[in-house]
């Protein structure tokens, strides 16, 4: 297993981290015996960073991780979990959730504690008004948390101000071959690393969608390479090739995937891909983009929408449905756009009033209003209100 160092602390972390959001299930619940065996296997083979959160598996991930890390495994890892920021309304809430998480995880400290979905400067301001700085400083002083960070899924322009708002030790961003320019992107990765933050990467395989299934046109590109690798290995090696990356999280839930990822993590040094290998990855990435329903780059020029529609996110989720044949695409659409994760207003495509302001702003000349109408028909059809209620039940206090 290769390890990289958090610049501010000297902490050496395995480049492969274990994400506990997609654990194996049986009868709708975490398959505890199998999941424990998988997690401990990864730790026994060098993984020393384990990531969970309050909301994962409907609140059952943290208690599971606490049990799975018994028998001496807690001492072998750096444990990460996240404050559910969308549930915070008062300073006391932050203390309540941290103490509850310590109890669930059966530990007296969290090694890497993140403010979950700290996506915008507005959200940051709300958290600061609730005493975020004082909370983090106090929790550190008490030894309840060791390192403070945040996870980010927001617009690129809000990333640097959040990085600069507190002396964070690390941050967590989405980054993969399709997201070089989306969200924090490469610019954000380099900015955070330049400030001395460790950078934890989530969704390196877009939730597994870059590997299962692979569009046939993309599979042909991988097959044409003189160097033969699985799609997962290509995608992970691309992320690890960036020296600014500290840890890449993988939500591993199949034994063969765990074994493959561990093998790759023994070899994936920074700057180790050849020019030819980077070219192959670039061709595959462009083919993915060709397969997208909407040629949106996530540049955000169309934002803000006067009616509150998150236009780039609507397009991203719509593209994902067709590129990756995700059977849960409509549910992801509701969760991401309903505001339940950030305690913010809804941002659905159906809120578009055809004001046409976005048409003048889009550098890709996308017919945004017409496409939003299509998205309404395909993503907000039968069962839409039921999915919204499910999202509220999952995430609203």
């Amino acid at each position: 297993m290769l390890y990289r160092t958090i610049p501010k602390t000297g902490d050496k972390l395995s480049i492969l981290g274990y994400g506990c959001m997609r654990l194996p299930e049986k009868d709708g619940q975490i398959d505890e015996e199998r999941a424990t065996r998988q997690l401990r296997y990864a730790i026994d083979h060098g993984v020393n960073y384990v990531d969970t959160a309050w909301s994962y598996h409907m609140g059952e991930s943290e208690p599971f991780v606490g049990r799975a890390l018994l028998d001496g495994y807690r001492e072998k890892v750096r444990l990460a979990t996240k404050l559910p920021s969308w549930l915070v309304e008062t300073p006391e809430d932050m203390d309540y959730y941290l103490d509850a998480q310590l109890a669930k995880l059966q530990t007296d400290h969290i090694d890497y504690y993140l403010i979950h979905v700290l996506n915008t400067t507005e959200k940051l301001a709300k958290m600061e008004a609730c005493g975020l700085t004082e909370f983090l400083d106090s929790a550190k002083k008490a030894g309840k948390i060791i390192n403070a960070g945040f996870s980010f899924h927001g617009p690129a322009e809000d990333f640097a101000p959040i990085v600069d708002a507190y002396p964070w030790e690390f941050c967590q961003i989405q980054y993969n071959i399709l997201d070089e320019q989306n969200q924090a992107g490469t610019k954000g990765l380099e900015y955070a690393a330049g400030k001395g933050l460790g950078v934890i990467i989530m969704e390196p395989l877009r939730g597994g969608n870059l590997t299962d299934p692979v569009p046939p046109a993309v599979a042909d590109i991988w097959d044409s390479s003189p160097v033969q690798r699985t799609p997962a290995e290509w995608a992970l090696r691309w992320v690890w090739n960036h020296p600014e990356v500290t840890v890449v999280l993988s939500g591993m839930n199949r034994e063969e995937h765990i074994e493959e990822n561990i093998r790759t993590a023994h070899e994936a040094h920074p700057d180790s891909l050849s020019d030819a290998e980077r070219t192959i990855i670039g061709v595959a990435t462009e083919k993915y983009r060709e397969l997208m329903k909407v040629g949106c780059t996530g540049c955000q020029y169309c934002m803000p929408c006067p009616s509150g529609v998150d236009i780039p996110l609507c397009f991203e989720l719509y593209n994902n449905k067709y590129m990756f044949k995700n059977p849960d695409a409509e549910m992801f659409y509701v969760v991401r756009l309903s505001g339940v994760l950030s305690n913010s207003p809804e941002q659905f495509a159906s809120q578009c009033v055809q004001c046409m302001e976005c048409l003048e702003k889009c550098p890709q000349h996308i017919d945004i209003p017409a496409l939003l109408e299509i998205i309404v028909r395909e993503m907000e059809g039968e069962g839409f209100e039921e999915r919204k209620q499910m999202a509220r039940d999952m995430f609203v206090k």
Side-chain angles (χ1 to χ4, degrees), residues 84-341:
S85 62
W86 59 90
L87 298 178
V88 172
E89 298 292 341
T90 68
E92 293 75 22
D93 286 342
M94 290 184 279
D95 290 310
Y96 166 78
Y97 288 112
L98 174 56
D99 288 342
Q101 290 172 300
L102 290 169
K104 287 182 175 185
L105 290 162
Q106 302 188 50
T107 187
D108 62 357
H109 70 280
I110 308 298
D111 299 289
Y112 287 83
Y113 196 62
L114 302 100
I115 310 305
H116 207 174
V117 291
L118 191 57
N119 287 352
T120 63
T121 51
E122 290 79 9
K123 183 63 173 290
L124 172 66
K126 177 184 175 182
M127 294 297 293
E128 288 179 331
C130 283
L132 177 63
T133 297
E134 295 78 8
F135 162 73
L136 291 174
D137 290 346
S138 175
K140 281 185 171 185
K141 185 176 180 180
K144 293 182 178 181
I145 65 174
I146 309 302
N147 302 294
F150 65 94
S151 67
F152 182 85
H153 274 292
E157 62 269 19
D158 282 5
F159 183 69
I162 295 174
V163 168
D164 294 337
Y166 183 82
W168 313 101
E169 281 80 22
F170 73 114
C171 65
Q172 185 167 309
I173 63 172
Q174 177 168 316
Y175 195 59
N176 54 66
I177 62 173
L178 293 180
D179 286 324
E180 289 185 82
Q181 306 302 324
N182 292 339
Q183 301 180 25
T186 301
K187 184 177 179 181
L189 168 65
E190 294 174 348
Y191 185 83
K195 292 285 186 173
L197 275 66
V199 183
I200 313 300
I201 301 301
M202 56 184 159
E203 303 294 0
L205 306 179
R206 279 268 184 115
N209 289 318
L210 291 175
T211 62
D212 187 21
V214 177
V218 176
D220 289 343
I221 294 168
W222 296 138
D223 290 343
S224 72
S225 172
V227 178
Q228 288 296 294
R229 297 187 173 118
T230 66
E233 185 175 358
W234 279 114
L236 289 172
R237 280 180 174 268
W238 181 87
V239 180
W240 277 320
N241 201 58
H242 295 77
E244 300 87 357
V245 168
T246 310
V247 174
V248 174
L249 294 174
S250 179
M252 304 171 280
N253 55 26
R254 289 167 56 179
E255 287 75 11
E256 62 269 27
H257 292 168
I258 297 169
E259 293 169 3
E260 177 185 322
N261 290 352
I262 289 172
R263 284 196 304 272
T264 306
H266 276 78
E267 305 170 352
H269 293 275
D271 297 319
S272 61
L273 290 177
S274 69
D275 290 343
E277 289 168 329
R278 291 198 299 272
T279 297
I280 285 287
I281 294 171
V283 172
T285 300
E286 287 308 308
K287 178 55 66 176
Y288 268 117
R289 298 195 191 285
E290 289 176 18
L291 296 172
M292 291 180 176
K293 285 282 187 177
V294 186
C296 175
T297 65
C299 69
Q300 302 278 332
Y301 287 168
C302 60
M303 298 295 284
C305 167
S307 299
V309 180
D310 189 331
I311 297 167
L313 185 54
C314 285
F315 289 159
E316 175 186 331
L317 296 168
Y318 181 58
N319 276 330
N320 287 351
K321 175 180 179 179
Y322 284 93
M323 289 177 64
F324 305 122
K325 309 300 182 186
N326 186 347
D328 299 317
E330 287 82 4
M331 191 64 209
F332 277 111
Y333 174 85
V334 167
V335 170
R336 295 288 301 279
L337 292 166
S338 63
V340 295
L341 293 179

